[in-house]
Amino acid sequence: MIRIGEVAERTGLTPRTIRYYEEIGLLPGPPERRKGEHRAYDDDDVERLSELTRLRDLLNLSLEELKQLVEAEEARAAIRKQFRESDSDAERLQLLDLALPHVETQIGLVRRRMEELKRLEAELVEKRKSILARKRELAS
Amino acid sequence: MIRIGEVAERTGLTPRTIRYYEEIGLLPGPPERRKGEHRAYDDDDVERLSELTRLRDLLNLSLEELKQLVEAEEARAAIRKQFRESDSDAERLQLLDLALPHVETQIGLVRRRMEELKRLEAELVEKRKSILARKRELAS
DNA sequence: TGCTAAACTAACGTTGACGTAAGAATGAAG
DNA sequence: CTTCATTCTTACGTCAACGTTAGTTTAGCA
């Protein structure tokens, strides 16, 4: 178990930011904790925060939008827990079917973003080509 | 020549936003204009604004960072003007050499961003694969 | 058991990126 | 020349996403 200071160091965030994320419901938040006690985190929490900021930066999501994704993620976490405790295979299959669309959603977001970037890149490369062409023309 | 309202419609921005961009020095801004007179834009300005917002959204740049790129762009515009008025080929070659790095910079930014997205996509696809694998295992 | 770095809560402050309201001025059309 | 939609400037308002005190409290250690 580690404390908020170390989490901050390892994620590149500040303690304030981490508390703020918890405040707005972005983190599952250590619910087992009496007011005033120090928050306790583990490596998974660090991992989670890192992924959140990655999504935020790469997809340009607001914290509110991020929250939507997170709620889906939390549902998945709950599902995983149930999954491990589950006994019948039929039930397990059903849980996996629930987990899948969340991942698909994220993949879709990432791919759309990549498409836009590819278009932009193509246009820039075209621009460069035209400059280089004019250079060759002058050099001849 | 068109006015700010039409520019707003065609770019999807608001007049206020366009004025704001001028205010912080993001736009070359119609310098030829006495205080109180209506701003006059042309198709190039619309194009420019569209590209700016695209860069802002896709690369997640702050207006301040965007300004850096723009200043480079403005330098390029100045260069193009000089280019057309220039007479000696040697001088023209030199101007093209000045224009090139600006485009390269942008290409670099876009590509770095794409790399990060590709990594993220790969991880997500991996996640999905693992879910599907477990499904197949259960179904057997 | 006492010390101190680190964490806690509560509350106000800040910054970027605009929104909005008010009143005056512009400019294309009739 | 009048009309009137649009634009102008000025200035205060707002919202997200934290930053920054201030005054306590906790918890690892000598």
Side-chain angles (χ1 to χ4, degrees), chain A residues 35-99:
Chain A
K35 187 164 164 173
E37 272 179 343
H38 292 185
R39 290 167 179 80
Y41 303 87
D42 57 13
D43 291 0
D44 284 358
D45 293 325
V46 173
E47 191 59 30
R48 189 191 189 74
L49 268 168
S50 301
E51 294 220 13
L52 281 184
T53 58
R54 195 143 72 113
L55 282 174
R56 189 195 60 176
D57 293 343
L58 287 180
L59 299 182
N60 204 4
L61 299 177
S62 71
L63 295 186
E64 188 54 38
E65 291 165 321
L66 209 51
K67 203 174 153 187
Q68 312 295 327
L69 278 189
V70 165
E71 276 161 16
E73 271 281 331
E74 290 202 34
R76 266 196 66 208
I79 285 170
R80 288 172 68 91
K81 206 179 166 200
Q82 276 186 49
F83 182 86
R84 277 191 294 270
E85 291 166 356
S86 169
D87 43 356
S88 87
D89 278 8
E91 194 179 347
R92 292 187 149 206
L93 251 175
Q94 209 179 356
L95 291 174
L96 284 177
D97 281 335
L98 276 174

Side-chain angles (χ1 to χ4, degrees), chain B:
Chain B
M1 285 296 179
I2 61 183
R3 294 187 298 175
I4 203 171
E6 191 176 338
V7 176
E9 267 187 57
R10 285 169 54 182
T11 57
L13 302 174
T14 71
R16 166 59 171 152
T17 297
I18 297 171
R19 290 195 201 99
Y20 178 64
Y21 283 5
E22 180 186 338
E23 193 182 325
I24 64 175
L26 238 178
L27 297 188
E32 357 235 352
R33 172 176 151 273
R34 284 164 301 186
K35 186 164 165 173
E37 271 179 346
H38 292 185
R39 290 167 179 80
Y41 302 87
D42 58 14
D43 291 1
D44 284 357
D45 294 324
V46 173
E47 190 59 31
R48 191 192 188 72
L49 269 168
S50 301
E51 294 220 13
L52 281 183
T53 58
R54 196 142 72 113
L55 282 174
R56 187 194 62 174
D57 293 343
L58 287 181
L59 299 182
N60 203 5
L61 299 176
S62 70
L63 295 187
E64 188 54 36
E65 291 165 320
L66 209 51
K67 203 173 153 187
Q68 311 296 326
L69 279 189
V70 165
E71 276 160 15
E73 270 281 330
E74 290 201 35
R76 267 196 65 208
I79 284 170
R80 287 172 69 90
K81 205 179 166 202
Q82 276 186 51
F83 182 86
R84 278 191 294 270
E85 290 166 358
S86 171
D87 44 355
S88 88
D89 277 8
E91 194 179 346
R92 292 189 148 206
L93 251 174
Q94 209 179 354
L95 290 174
L96 284 176
D97 280 335
L98 276 175
L100 205 51
H102 300 318
V103 179
E104 308 262 18
T105 296
Q106 269 161 276
I107 292 180
L109 284 175
V110 170
R111 290 201 170 146
R112 241 170 290 160
R113 181 51 67 115
M114 275 182 52
E115 282 312 310
E116 297 175 62
L117 276 169
K118 274 176 90 168
R119 267 197 297 269
L120 180 53
E121 191 212 3
E123 288 174 34
L124 288 172
V125 167
E126 195 53 40
K127 220 170 185 174
R128 180 176 62 181
K129 214 175 108 185
S130 123
I131 294 182
L132 288 175
R134 280 185 292 170
K135 274 191 66 176
R136 269 194 301 278
E137 204 174 331
L138 278 178
S140 69

